[in-house]
Amino acid sequence: MTAFVTLAYLAASICFILALKGLSHPETSRRGLVYGMTGMGVAVFATLLLPQVTTYGLILLAIVIGGSIGTVIAQKIEMTALPQLVAAFHSLVGLAAVFVAAAAFYNPESYNIGAAGAIYLGSLVEMSLGAAIGAITFTGSIIAWGKLQGVISGRPLVFNGQHALNAFLGLMLVLLIILLCATQAPFYLWAIVLVAFALGVLMIVPIGGADMPVIVSMLNSYSGWAAAGIGFTLQNPLLIIVGALVGASGAILSYIMCKGMNRSFISVILGGFGGEQAAGASAEDTDRQAKIGSAEDAAYIMKNASKVIIVPGYGMAVAQAQHALREMADLLKKEGVDVKYAIHPVAGRMPGHMNVLLAEANVPYDEVFELEDINRDFGQADVAYVIGANDITNPSAKTDSTSPIYGMPVLDVEKAKTVLFVKRSLGSGYAGIDNPLFYTDNTMMLLGDAKKMTEDIVKSME
């Protein structure tokens, strides 16, 4: 039976690797999901066959409860709430790592890692690291969920000595792990958990709203490493492999996004991402006047254009305007207009958020372009149709060194002949800063709900 479980774990691991490969591109993402679900099914079934598993009642009850909750969430969750849902799930992975570490510490015989007071040194290191990373992931993910949900302000929360405090807590964690290994006293295990809880909060609160997609990716990586650490404690090779895959893929994605945003990967890991710069001016601090237009104006301008670039953002997701947007694009293409979509690496509030929404509306993949592939085309575009995006189009990132988003590559929509900017109001975006693009001569603001405005434009075109 042990040999069968080992082979099943190998098959599940291959499925997880194929899942990551499939999820790397929209065209193969569904296949990747099937591989992932298959791998998890095989993994759960094989685990239940392990000789150590002797009681099935509580396990089956947990599966029924968890499966029921997951089914309800999957059926009711809105696409706009996916980022905070992912953050919430990350927190559960971190908390699970803490619980498993505690169970192994108090009952080491069940895990074959020694006896109470005489746990193997390697196992102590593994469980303490797993508990620490898990605790950081838990509270960090809760803060990320709060920022994404709007329960906590998206503005960076900074104070003097913040980095010094984080460094002190990091050194304290190392010291507590050493003391736990030396004494095996329960006090030090829970001290590790409490310090890590505090560190998780302090690492995420200075992160501004515009940078949250990178944080979601980073926390995903943390949850993977926490799972891998606990895999060593449980002596479960599949958990080690899966945790390492999630940890490595999350870290790589975070690095790619940081590179795309001209940010420091190390500062993300240490919680110093964009939190020390002054905020830009708000809309109330200026007497500039924006040019306000209507759906009829926008329809006339776009029907007479030869090239239109659509820039979707979180406002499109909130309004669920992707289907209306696709309908508008189809009408423009019938008129002979060249239509493309421009996706910023951090558009929305999680990696790939806009790609998922556009795929849901059956937007052709060959019309969707990433920032580095589309940015040079704005200069030749007649119209840039910005729907619900703000910070990712803000030219202050290129010109204002005091801006929280300074240095972040943005979409050069201001280079288009006409910018049609769909937004509910002239208020600031998620990063809490004013966008001077609203007031340029070539920008026309289309104020209102993104879905209704786009539908009105479609009616005017017809």
Side-chain angles (χ1 to χ4, degrees), residues 201-336:
V201 173
L202 291 171
M203 288 176 64
I204 305 302
V205 291
I207 309 302
D211 302 327
M212 288 311 296
V214 185
I215 298 308
V216 171
S217 175
M218 182 192 74
L219 290 169
N220 177 55
S221 178
Y222 284 0
S223 67
W225 296 123
I230 295 304
F232 282 104
T233 301
L234 298 177
Q235 300 180 20
N236 188 304
L238 182 63
L239 192 54
I240 297 170
I241 293 171
V242 174
L245 285 173
V246 174
S249 60
I252 293 171
L253 178 59
S254 298
Y255 174 77
I256 292 173
M257 295 179 71
C258 287
K259 186 176 180 181
M261 295 174 65
N262 195 30
R263 302 293 198 184
S264 167
F265 181 64
I266 299 300
S267 70
V268 176
I269 297 175
L270 298 180
F273 195 19
E276 293 183 343
Q277 293 159 311
S282 65
E284 289 76 20
D285 297 330
T286 177
D287 57 0
R288 293 172 293 178
Q289 295 295 316
K291 186 190 304 179
I292 309 299
S294 65
E296 292 77 13
D297 297 328
Y300 177 80
I301 292 171
M302 283 194 284
K303 284 188 71 172
N304 288 279
S306 59
K307 184 172 185 176
V308 173
I309 300 178
I310 299 171
V311 181
Y314 188 69
M316 182 196 75
V318 172
Q320 290 289 286
Q322 61 269 28
H323 296 283
L325 189 66
R326 164 69 192 273
E327 186 179 357
M328 185 189 79
D330 288 344
L331 285 175
L332 288 173
K333 286 187 285 186
K334 286 181 181 179
E335 296 288 334

Side-chain angles (χ1 to χ4, degrees), residues 28 32 42 52 63-64 78 92 98 125 133 195-196 225 230 243 246 252 264 271 278 286 303 319 354 362 402 448:
T28 58
V42 171
Q52 300 96 310
I63 290 175
V64 170
E78 298 288 342
L92 296 179
V98 174
V125 174
I133 298 173
V195 171
W225 296 123
I230 295 304
V246 174
I252 293 171
S264 167
T286 177
K303 284 188 71 172
M354 295 300 103
N362 294 316
T402 66

